Amino acid sequence: MKIKMIAAKCCISIGARVFSHHENILITRWHYLGILALLLFFTNPGHSQIIEDVGGIATTVHAKSTFKDMSSQSSSTGYQFQLNTYDAWLPLPPFKVGKTSILSNLNYRLMDFDYGGKAINDRSLPDKIHEIKSVIIIRHPISAKWSILGIVMPALASDLKKSVSFDDLILDGIVGVSKKFGAESNLEIGIGVHVLQSFGETLITPGISFEYQSSNKKWLAQFYWPRLNVLYHLTADTHLGVAGSIDWNRFNLKNHVGFTGKEIDYAQFSMIHAGLQVHQRLVGGIWLQVQVGGGFLNRYEVFDGDQNKISKFSISNMLYGKAAFTYRFGRRAIKSR
């Protein structure tokens, strides 16, 4: 099992990071599970990442694109595909243990790669990827301004072409502290450590969160890895703004063999989304959210069981449109995914 320690300089702009790697520190999966269990009960970046869209459904449609840099040996060279993503999430009952508050929801995502009905013989390419994730947010105040914060995000991700197993489990979490600033406590900044364990690799990066709401309640800005939201409240029922995210999906392809003849363990599909968004209240707590923009710096990577990269394909930029119906507490705006 491999650990990567990544030192990052995080900015309030998507993708502004500087990396350095320190590898070959060993840790077992069961040790990591023990650490994560302790985080679950004692920590998280919490209300600087308020989940107010407590339930909803969404679909994202991308323009057709192609895998670049594919070997001429692959039967899929030059094939176009269209990625459609479908999301649904529901809240779980919140509760408190003493002063510690715990909020959580359950998310389902389907990533559907449509090749226009063409047969894809290269099994290393993505097809339909299913992901079930629970987001658990924990907050423990230690003073009027300071809180201990944590987030735990266990997930199962698979193409379901085989039975789901422990190999499909991805463990993701953050632990840190946050402080509120200003007489109205309308600025909150959190810092901490982000840990991701998947497919025998442990990735450790700094984590940062930022939330600001103007005194007149017109502006809301939120950044928390890997999401950015900036909204202007045109009216109480209509909000306009920009949105950005780094979508980084890993999934199990164990026992698949690619065109190179090497056995594949897992794959990673990554994309940076950036666009404009409109939130419109329909009735009560039900909102319609529409977003349009582009997907940039897209890539698809395939790895073996030792975390060695078998192949890496860049993907052409693609436009996207997203629509969501959500149920929200209060009148402020934030996305849960």
Side-chain angles (χ1 to χ4, degrees):
M1 182 172 293
K2 184 186 297 183
I3 291 183
K4 291 184 179 179
M5 305 286 293
I6 296 181
K9 180 172 68 179
C10 298
C11 304
I12 310 303
S13 62
I14 293 300
R17 310 186 76 195
V18 178
F19 297 96
S20 66
H21 297 265
H22 308 278
E23 301 186 0
N24 300 322
I25 303 172
L26 297 180
I27 185 171
T28 69
R29 175 172 291 184
W30 291 108
H31 285 160
Y32 183 79
L33 282 172
I35 294 169
L36 195 61
L38 291 174
L39 296 182
L40 172 61
F41 285 103
F42 293 108
T43 57
N44 174 33
H47 284 123
S48 61
Q49 301 176 20
I50 303 167
I51 298 177
E52 292 189 3
D53 287 346
V54 293
I57 56 174
T59 182
T60 306
V61 178
H62 296 84
K64 289 184 179 181
S65 187
T66 56
F67 293 102
K68 298 179 179 179
D69 312 319
M70 296 192 74
S71 169
S72 58
Q73 301 176 49
S74 173
S75 60
S76 304
T77 302
Y79 275 17
Q80 281 194 324
F81 73 94
Q82 182 171 12
L83 170 61
N84 297 325
T85 303
Y86 307 93
D87 293 284
W89 61 99
L90 289 171
L92 300 177
F95 62 95
K96 297 188 72 173
V97 179
K99 294 182 179 180
T100 303
S101 59
I102 301 175
L103 301 173
S104 58
N105 67 7
L106 188 64
N107 303 268
Y108 169 75
R109 167 169 288 183
L110 169 63
M111 298 177 66
D112 183 11
F113 293 82
D114 183 357
Y115 296 91
K118 294 183 179 180
I120 301 299
N121 297 321
D122 185 352
R123 297 184 67 194
S124 65
L125 293 183
D127 184 11
K128 289 180 173 57
I129 307 303
H130 303 263
E131 180 187 77
I132 298 176
K133 176 186 290 186
S134 178
V135 179
I136 305 165
I137 294 177
I138 306 158
R139 178 189 183 93
H140 181 79
I142 53 178
S143 70
K145 295 285 188 179
W146 287 89
S147 294
I148 299 174
L149 301 169
I151 187 168
V152 181
M153 297 173 288
L156 288 170
S158 173
D159 59 6
L160 295 186
K161 292 183 179 178
K162 59 191 178 313
S163 59
V164 177
S165 70
F166 190 82
D167 291 331
D168 301 310
L169 182 63
I170 297 172
L171 300 173
D172 197 3
I174 304 172
V175 59
V177 296
S178 74
K179 183 180 180 181
K180 295 179 180 179
F181 297 87
E184 300 178 358
S185 295
N186 57 333
L187 171 63
E188 185 171 9
I189 298 176
I191 57 172
V193 177
H194 173 229
V195 181
L196 172 68
Q197 199 282 334
S198 61
F199 308 110
E201 180 183 57
T202 300
L203 184 68
I204 301 176
T205 64
I208 185 169
S209 63
F210 172 97
E211 180 176 335
Y212 170 77
Q213 186 175 30
S214 62
S215 299
N216 62 7
K217 310 300 182 185
K218 286 288 188 179
W219 286 96
L220 175 68
Q222 293 176 319
F223 170 83
Y224 56 96
W225 183 258
R227 310 241 169 238
L228 170 70
N229 273 300
V230 179
L231 286 165
Y232 176 72
H233 294 196
L234 189 64
T235 70
D237 297 329
T238 304
H239 306 160
L240 309 176
V242 297
S245 66
I246 297 180
D247 292 295
W248 188 27
N249 300 92
R250 283 186 171 185
F251 42 88
N252 190 2
L253 290 179
K254 197 175 183 69
N255 299 324
H256 286 24
V257 177
F259 66 87
T260 61
K262 295 182 179 180
E263 184 173 300
I264 298 164
D265 188 60
Y266 67 95
Q268 178 175 293
F269 183 88
S270 56
M271 173 184 296
I272 297 178
H273 284 105
L276 303 175
Q277 59 179 335
V278 178
H279 297 191
Q280 178 64 49
R281 182 194 300 275
L282 299 180
V283 59
I286 299 176
W287 289 73
L288 169 66
Q289 300 180 16
V290 177
Q291 188 179 136
V292 293
F296 309 100
L297 300 178
N298 316 318
R299 62 184 181 182
Y300 180 68
E301 299 164 286
V302 178
F303 299 83
D304 64 18
D306 295 319
Q307 294 86 44
N308 297 315
K309 194 176 297 181
I310 297 175
S311 56
K312 173 183 175 180
F313 311 134
S314 60
I315 300 169
S316 55
N317 296 334
M318 59 182 83
L319 299 177
Y320 76 91
K322 180 175 182 178
F325 290 98
T326 68
Y327 182 79
R328 181 179 307 172
F329 291 136
R331 291 179 176 268
R332 292 169 58 190
I334 183 173
K335 293 185 174 181
S336 65
R337 277 184 68 92

